[in-house]
């Protein structure tokens, strides 16, 4: 507010020629001091001072404006923080649950134990021991255990008021969204495999892990908001492409023995060994049996037949031979579990003293590998 004040209102002892001006109310101007007038005579009249004052009404309006705007914005910020912290708490809880589940499955995988499955029965063990339970030689449950553990750790960091671990919030968020994206894409890939390669079979652990991964992905995505999602969409697409490429490459590399033959229909048959065993062959076969050495093969494999023919009829019966396709080769028939556990690369395959050896082996090689004292190689002729 602007008021004009005469000098007569400031000095009560100075006479005024004419009608005196009234002093402004205190509420209109609260000035501790005012500048003096320029020198001049009383006849020249009074010069007016222009003073800017803030009325009580203006102050009340300003305070009212602060009161009406501040609480709403503050409430919005509190609401956003609460929703974000709630999302991180859910991620930490689901990540911990997934970590416990995959830890149990990792234990089963490493110890070759049977899985307790209340729904699906033996199909849980069948799926968990299939070719799809390993990625580049690493058990899939172990990969899941590490992923769930990382999600739980990052969520605890982001949900804590202070810095729980020495990780910046922005870095933790980027790693979290990248991890949950990879888990979600991998789960979608595995769901496709379950529907195509294990039709009619169910695995409660697999479905539970898929549900957890999807939940973590969508909760993390929601916590970012639309603007942050637009910034990370490129990263998510790159991660999704890498996951699909890696899984496809891993499973295509594991195909040779189990799935390439599935296109053929070969009923099981036996071949008769006609050669008589030599004393050396019998001694070596007994030695291999005593140290629990095993030979893995397939009924249709010519190299397997030649290996047994080298030992002869009597000695071949002493060998611990494992047939990998006892029910023949046809669509839907998979390689025997004992063979999948060894991770065969071809036939025949020997397992001697913990060593996995692919291809045919002559007597001298088998004797050396098994610690057998070979006296006379001429008897092998």
């Amino acid at each position: 507010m602007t008021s004009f004040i005469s000098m007569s209102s400031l000095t009560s002892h100075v006479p005024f020629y004419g009608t005196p001006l009234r002093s402004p109310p205190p509420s209109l101007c609260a000035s501790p001091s005012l500048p003096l007038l320029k020198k001049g005579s009383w006849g020249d009249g009074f010069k007016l001072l222009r003073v800017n004052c803030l009325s009580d009404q203006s102050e009340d309006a300003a305070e009212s404006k602060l009161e009406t705007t501040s609480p709403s914005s503050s409430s919005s910020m509190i609401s956003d923080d609460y929703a974000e912290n709630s999302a991180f708490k859910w991620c930490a809880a689901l990540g911990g649950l997934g970590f416990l589940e995959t830890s149990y499955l990792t234990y089963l995988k490493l110890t070759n134990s049977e899985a307790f499955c209340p729904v699906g029965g033996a199909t849980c063990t069948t799926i968990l021991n299939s070719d799809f339970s390993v990625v580049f030689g690493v058990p899939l449950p172990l990969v899941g255990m590490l992923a769930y553990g990382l999600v739980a750790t990052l969520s605890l960091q982001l949900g804590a008021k202070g810095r729980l671990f020495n990780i910046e919030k922005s870095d933790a968020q980027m790693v979290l969204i990248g991890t949950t994206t990879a888990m979600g894409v991998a789960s979608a890939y595995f769901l496709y495999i379950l529907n195509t390669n294990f039709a009619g079979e169910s695995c409660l652990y697999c479905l539970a892990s898929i549900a957890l991964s999807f939940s973590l992905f969508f909760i993390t995505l929601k916590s970012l908001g639309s603007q942050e999602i637009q910034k990370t969409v490129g990263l998510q697409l790159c991660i999704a492409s890498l996951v699909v490429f890696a899984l496809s490459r891993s499973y295509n590399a594991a195909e040779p023995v189990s799935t390439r033959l599935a296109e053929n229909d070969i009923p099981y048959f036996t071949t008769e060994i006609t050669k008589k065993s030599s004393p050396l062959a019998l001694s070596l076969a007994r030695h291999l049996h005593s140290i629990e050495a095993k030979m893995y093969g397939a009924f249709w494999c010519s190299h397997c037949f030649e290996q047994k023919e080298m030992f002869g009829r009597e000695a071949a019966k002493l060998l611990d031979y494992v047939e990998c396709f006892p029910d023949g080769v046809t669509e839907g028939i998979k390689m025997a579990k004992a063979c999948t556990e060894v991770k065969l690369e071809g036939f025949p395959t020997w397992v001697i003293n913990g060593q996995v050896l692919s291809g045919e082996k002559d007597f001298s090689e088998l004797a050396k590998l098994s610690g057998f004292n070979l006296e006379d190689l001429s008897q092998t002729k």
Side-chain angles (χ1 to χ4, degrees), residues 150-151 154 171-185 217 220 224 232 235-236 238-240 243:
L150 179 60
V151 168
L154 293 173
D171 296 336
Q173 282 183 318
M174 292 300 292
V175 176
L176 182 62
I177 189 61
T179 304
T180 54
T181 299
M183 294 170 68
V185 173
F217 172 69
T220 308
L224 288 178
T232 60
L235 173 66
Q236 290 176 287
C238 290
I239 292 175
V243 169

Side-chain angles (χ1 to χ4, degrees), residues 353-373:
N353 294 329
Q355 290 183 293
V356 181
L357 310 159
S358 299
E360 293 182 64
K361 306 297 178 185
D362 57 27
F363 282 175
S364 60
E365 290 179 281
L366 292 172
K368 182 179 180 180
L369 292 168
S370 63
F372 180 72
N373 186 16

Side-chain angles (χ1 to χ4, degrees), residues 12 26 178-179 196 209 216 239 266 282 303 314 327 364-365 368:
S12 58
T179 304
T196 55
S209 184
L216 287 170
I239 292 175
I266 308 174
L282 288 169
H303 296 286
E314 295 80 11
D327 299 322
S364 60
E365 290 179 281
K368 182 179 180 180

Side-chain angles (χ1 to χ4, degrees), residues 109-131:
K109 187 70 177 176
L110 296 179
T111 59
N112 294 322
S113 303
E114 294 289 331
F116 170 74
C117 192
V119 180
T123 57
C124 283
T125 302
T126 302
I127 295 174
L128 292 174
N129 290 324
S130 66
D131 295 340

Side-chain angles (χ1 to χ4, degrees), residues 109-110 131 133-140 142-143 250-251 253-254 343:
K109 187 70 177 176
L110 296 179
D131 295 340
S133 65
V134 178
V135 179
F136 293 112
V138 180
L140 188 60
L142 179 59
V143 177
S250 174
Y251 294 144
K343 301 179 178 62

